Amino acid sequence: GSGTAGTGGLGGGGNASKTGSPTGGTVNTGGGGAGVSYNLGGSGGNGGSGIVIISYLGSQRGTGGTVTSSGGYTIHTFTSSSTYNA
C-alpha cells in the first residue's frame, strides 16, 4: 500500500504496519493492538495486558499482587491474574 503506517494512540496502542507485522499494545496499559494495511490481510497485533492497582491509607490489611508502600499508603499492583484477599 501507499502512504505511511500509523503510530499507536494513547494507552500503549501498537503501531500499524504496511508489511503484515503489526506490533502489539504495550503491556500493563490495556492498549489495543495495531491493524494491518487493508490490502495485506492477516491479523492485527495483540492488545496490551491490563493492570489493577489497589491503594489504601495505612498498613497492609490484605494480600495479593505486588505489595509496596508510599507516603503512608499500602499499594497492591496486579499485572497478571490474581486475587486480593482482605
Side-chain angles (χ1 to χ4, degrees), residues 1-60:
S2 61
T4 57
T7 56
L10 300 177
N15 293 331
S17 170
K18 292 172 54 178
T19 64
S21 301
T23 58
T26 305
V27 297
N28 301 332
T29 64
V36 192
S37 294
Y38 72 93
N39 59 340
L40 292 176
S43 301
N46 293 326
S49 58
I51 186 169
V52 172
I53 299 172
I54 299 172
S55 175
Y56 50 85
L57 187 59
S59 60
Q60 184 176 342

Side-chain angles (χ1 to χ4, degrees), residues 34-83:
V36 192
S37 294
Y38 72 93
N39 59 340
L40 292 176
S43 301
N46 293 326
S49 58
I51 186 169
V52 172
I53 299 172
I54 299 172
S55 175
Y56 50 85
L57 187 59
S59 60
Q60 184 176 342
R61 299 188 297 263
T63 59
T66 301
V67 181
T68 57
S69 61
S70 177
Y73 285 84
T74 299
I75 304 158
H76 298 258
T77 304
F78 299 85
T79 56
S80 63
S81 180
S82 186
T83 303

